[in-house]
Structures are given as C-alpha cells and as structure tokens.
Amino acid sequence: MKVKALANIVRPLIFDNEYEGYEHNSLGSCVVIEYASRYFAITALHNNQGDGYEPKQFMVPHSSVSNLFFPMKEVFSVETSENEDTDHKDVFFIEIPREDIEEDKLDLDTIINFSENYYVSSTGETKYIVHGFPDELQEINFDKKVIKNQRFAVSGKLHSRECYLGIDQIKFDGSAGLNSFSGMSGGGVFSLTPNGDGRFFYKFEGILLRGTATSLMGYVLKREVIQIYLEKFIGQENG
C-alpha cells in the first residue's frame, strides 16, 4: 500500500437535513472500519447535530469521489454522566449492514481492518498524518444539488502521550494555508514508523477530535479506546 492510499480510508460525513431546498450539508470527516467482521463509520460525536435522527440521514460515500453511499443500520454513542470528563467519549458510531453492500463496487482497501497491520513504501522520519475534509475547502451548491468535498492532509509529530484520559496530543507541522481545521474532526490519524528496510509500518492511531490552525495542536481519540467501545457495544448485543 502506498502512503497516498491512506487518504482513501477517510471520507466526508454528509447529513440529510430533510429541509426542502437545503437537503444536505457536510458534518465533517469520518473513517470506515471493519471490526468483528462488521463495518462501522466512526466520527466525533460533536459532529452530530442533535439527538433523534434516523441512521439513514447520515450519508457516507464509498469514497470521497463516489456517488454511491453505504446503507446505514444503527447509530450509537457512549453514555456519559453529568460530572464526568467526557472528551474521551466524544465519538459517534454508525453501523453499516455488510450484507446490504454491493462489495464488488467497493474498494475494500479503503476500510481499516482493526486486526491487521500494514506496511507502506516510504522513506524519512517517523511522523503522524491526519486526513480529513475541512469546511474551508468544501462547497455546497443548493441550486444544483452538488456537494464538492476536497480532502486535506496535514503532517505532525506526537507531542504528548495520554495528555488526557484516552487522548494523545499531536503537534502539526503547519496549517498548509488553512485558517481553520473545522471539519477535520473525525478524520483519520495515522502514524508512520520506519521499519529499517526502506518501508514504514503504518498504524491507524485513532480519530482527530479537534485541532486548531493557530496553535497547531491536535487531540486524538486513541484507537484502543475506540476498540473498547466497540467491544462493549457488541457485548451488549450478545447479552
């Protein structure tokens, strides 16, 4: 897999408002993962515009340039208490019914398998790469009913491990001309570590919860925390 292939794992999250003339808008970024032979779209909970929405109102394309969208089965988040630090619970899951997908029309390399490790051909030092769809680069034409989503990538380094419960902090190398990272929330965060043979080991580290183009700091909900929540959800289903 090439480094640029990582970008295809991240998708825009689109929401169906059900308002005539203003049907759709962009909610930020998301990743699609495979866990326990099931598919889930994952994003930051604060991207969700409220409670009580139907799963079908959340639209995740097969890719950022595809007109095909995944079917949606169920949405869930993590229960919180009033006096609790909830940053590590700022995550939102949408289950995708695998049996309803025409997999011959889907590039399976664009779905992260939690149980696999990957290598990419690359050279250089260890770095983090965040992919997402910032609001600044998105365009919605309500008259023509067209949404143009432009992917964006920014590199950085680990700044602080577990700066908050379940959250790592990264320092971006720059803003690449953006005034804001709004819309990047829910984007995929990947680490690239030299393997010693001219290749990099890449790992999905989690999703970006928030980041600013001024401070160049970002906060990442760790992959391990996401996995705990998925295990809990599946365990509750199984009784």
Side-chain angles (χ1 to χ4, degrees), residues 12-13 25-30 43-44 46-47 49 130-139 149-152 154 172 175 177-187 208-214 217-218:
L13 178 63
N25 68 301
S26 177
L27 286 183
S29 309
C30 68
T43 189
H46 68 259
N47 286 340
Q49 294 192 332
V130 182
H131 292 278
F133 292 84
D135 295 339
E136 206 169 308
L137 301 181
Q138 309 316 308
E139 180 182 342
N149 295 293
Q150 184 173 335
R151 186 188 292 113
F152 175 82
V154 59
F172 298 114
S175 66
L178 288 185
N179 295 311
S180 169
F181 286 156
S182 177
M184 292 286 286
S185 296
L208 185 72
L209 294 183
R210 62 185 184 276
T212 62
T214 51
M217 304 304 295

Side-chain angles (χ1 to χ4, degrees), residues 199-213:
R199 297 190 301 168
F200 271 35
F201 170 74
Y202 100 66
K203 178 184 178 184
F204 170 65
E205 294 286 349
I207 62 169
L208 185 72
L209 294 183
R210 62 185 184 276
T212 62

Side-chain angles (χ1 to χ4, degrees), residues 57-125:
Q57 290 180 261
F58 297 95
M59 303 172 63
V60 178
H62 281 204
S63 72
S64 63
V65 295
S66 176
N67 291 321
L68 296 175
F69 292 86
F70 288 107
M72 296 299 170
K73 179 179 180 181
E74 183 177 0
V75 298
F76 66 97
S77 55
V78 184
E79 185 177 349
T80 61
S81 59
E82 185 175 347
N83 298 320
E84 184 182 10
D85 176 9
T86 58
D87 274 359
H88 62 287
K89 295 185 176 181
D90 185 12
V91 60
F92 185 68
F93 299 88
I94 310 168
E95 183 166 9
I96 299 168
R98 187 167 183 168
E99 64 275 11
D100 294 337
I101 298 173
E102 296 181 65
E103 293 198 341
D104 60 321
K105 297 180 180 179
L106 173 65
D107 182 357
L108 295 178
D109 285 341
T110 66
I111 296 178
I112 300 168
N113 189 320
F114 258 43
S115 63
E116 294 183 5
N117 298 321
Y118 299 87
Y119 289 89
V120 297
S121 297
S122 185
T123 59
E125 61 181 3

Side-chain angles (χ1 to χ4, degrees), residues 219-233:
Y219 297 87
V220 181
L221 181 66
K222 297 170 64 173
R223 167 198 180 119
E224 293 80 6
V225 176
I226 294 172
Q227 184 168 339
I228 289 171
Y229 294 149
L230 283 169
E231 289 174 349
K232 183 177 181 180
F233 170 71

